[in-house]
Amino acid sequence: MTVELRHLRAFLAIAAEGTITGAAARLHVTQPALSRTLRQLEAHLGARLIDRSTHHLELTAAGHAFRPRAAAAVTAVDEALDPARAGTWPLRLGHAWSALGEHTTPLLRRWKQEHPDTPLQLLRVDDRTAGLDHGTVDVAVIRGDVDLPAEVATVVLLFEPRVAAVAADSFLTRKARLTLHELVGKPIAVNTIAGTATLGLWPPDAAPNDTVEVANTDDWIAAIAAGTAVGVTTTATAAAYPNPAVAYLPLADVPVVPVRLAWRQPPSHPAVPDLIAFARRFMTAQPPSGAGREGFRARRG
């Protein structure tokens, strides 16, 4: 049997809906036809993808592993057949927050100059892999330690110092530099989706007692600006999210954050190798940023 796009769409619909009934309605097919399509896909792969032992269907371990691959394949076909993209094929660069900080705009401009026939599309995706897992992007900016599949290649572009983010009217802004210990008096804003700062930064016997969990950088900034919480981030956030109600202050004695580019092998776009080589060359030529040296000063907008 030859696997067709409808087999992948069927599996993805069932995974998203959790029931055959919901998935059949979503795809406008009958339930028996959808069940038959799923069985054909499982027979081809030689693995059970959906656990049917409960009323609400669950993915098996094989199903969880197959889901991002199926999503990437469907997205790639949809992109290729999109009439609006005829004649152009944008190279999609994903990021969960801050992209490449102060280097983002210069990099995009230089790419446009050197590769005018390949548009570089910057996409923010609130996801730990910045859309790479689901095939939404061709290359992703990844910060910190992220679990990536074996077929994903990475290269380190730079290392970003961490900074504290506090309300601009906080008494903490009287200091030129802060320590993690000085932040424990307030709840810590934690981006649970794609953030690099967790309570693991603090010693176990001196960790904050309270957190404010958010799902994206906008909500993280809002919590800090309101004085509800303080946060730990990198210098890229200070460059990408200046806010008159937020001050960014250097943090002492905390590890820097590696910033990587990640892409699938084989690449989903023919220009991926060009972008990797270009980004490495571009970053190597950049002088040390003011935000990345000991002389970093708090920014308030």
Side-chain angles (χ1 to χ4, degrees):
M1 184 203 81
T2 301
V3 171
E4 302 172 2
L5 199 58
R6 64 186 177 88
H7 292 92
L8 302 183
R9 293 195 192 279
F11 165 70
L12 291 172
I14 295 170
E17 296 291 336
T19 66
I20 294 290
T21 303
R26 179 173 174 171
L27 296 175
H28 305 291
V29 299
T30 65
Q31 295 180 42
L34 185 60
S35 296
R36 185 166 57 252
T37 301
L38 175 62
R39 289 196 300 271
Q40 291 171 345
L41 177 61
E42 290 178 324
H44 175 82
L45 295 173
R48 179 166 283 244
L49 303 175
I50 304 289
D51 182 357
R52 304 167 179 79
S53 62
T54 61
H55 177 69
H56 185 84
L57 305 182
E58 299 287 346
L59 294 182
T60 63
H64 280 292
F66 182 66
R67 187 176 186 178
R69 291 160 48 200
V74 170
T75 299
V77 172
D78 287 345
E79 289 278 350
L81 299 181
D82 183 356
R85 297 179 182 273
T88 64
W89 188 358
L91 177 57
R92 303 161 302 171
L93 176 61
H95 68 106
W97 48 274
S98 299
L100 292 172
E102 65 182 345
H103 303 295
T104 304
T105 299
L107 182 142
L108 293 175
R109 286 180 174 274
R110 180 69 62 80
W111 173 269
K112 185 177 180 180
Q113 291 173 357
E114 296 187 13
H115 301 269
D117 297 328
T118 306
L120 182 56
Q121 184 179 16
L122 188 66
L123 299 174
R124 173 177 156 180
V125 184
D126 291 322
D127 174 83
R128 180 66 62 180
T129 66
L132 193 66
D133 246 0
H134 302 294
T136 310
V137 303
D138 303 299
V139 181
V141 178
I142 303 289
R143 281 184 172 83
D145 297 324
V146 177
D147 239 357
L148 296 169
E151 68 269 20
V152 172
T154 66
V155 62
V156 175
L157 277 189
L158 70 155
F159 294 91
E160 293 175 344
R162 295 184 194 264
V163 297
V166 303
D169 59 358
S170 168
F171 71 93
L172 292 171
T173 60
R174 300 171 191 166
K175 297 195 172 187
R177 178 177 299 273
L178 295 175
T179 65
L180 289 173
H181 178 72
E182 290 173 302
L183 299 178
V184 298
K186 270 191 172 288
I188 306 297
V190 177
N191 183 337
T192 58
I193 302 300
T196 59
T198 68
L199 295 188
L201 279 176
W202 282 262
D205 59 346
N209 294 321
D210 199 9
T211 62
V212 174
E213 295 188 351
V214 298
N216 56 64
T217 304
D218 292 332
D219 292 345
W220 184 88
I221 290 284
I224 293 166
T228 305
V230 297
V232 175
T233 184
T234 76
T235 50
T237 306
Y241 293 88
N243 188 306
V246 176
Y248 299 94
L249 297 145
L251 265 177
D253 302 325
V254 287
V256 296
V257 176
V259 181
R260 298 178 173 86
L261 289 185
W263 66 98
R264 290 186 176 276
Q265 294 283 28
S268 56
H269 191 292
V272 166
D274 293 334
L275 176 60
I276 304 306
F278 166 84
R280 295 182 71 178
R281 186 174 69 253
F282 178 87
M283 291 308 304
T284 299
Q286 299 307 298
S289 66
R293 296 194 302 260
E294 285 297 309
F296 175 82
R297 295 179 180 178
R299 298 185 182 184
R300 303 190 186 184

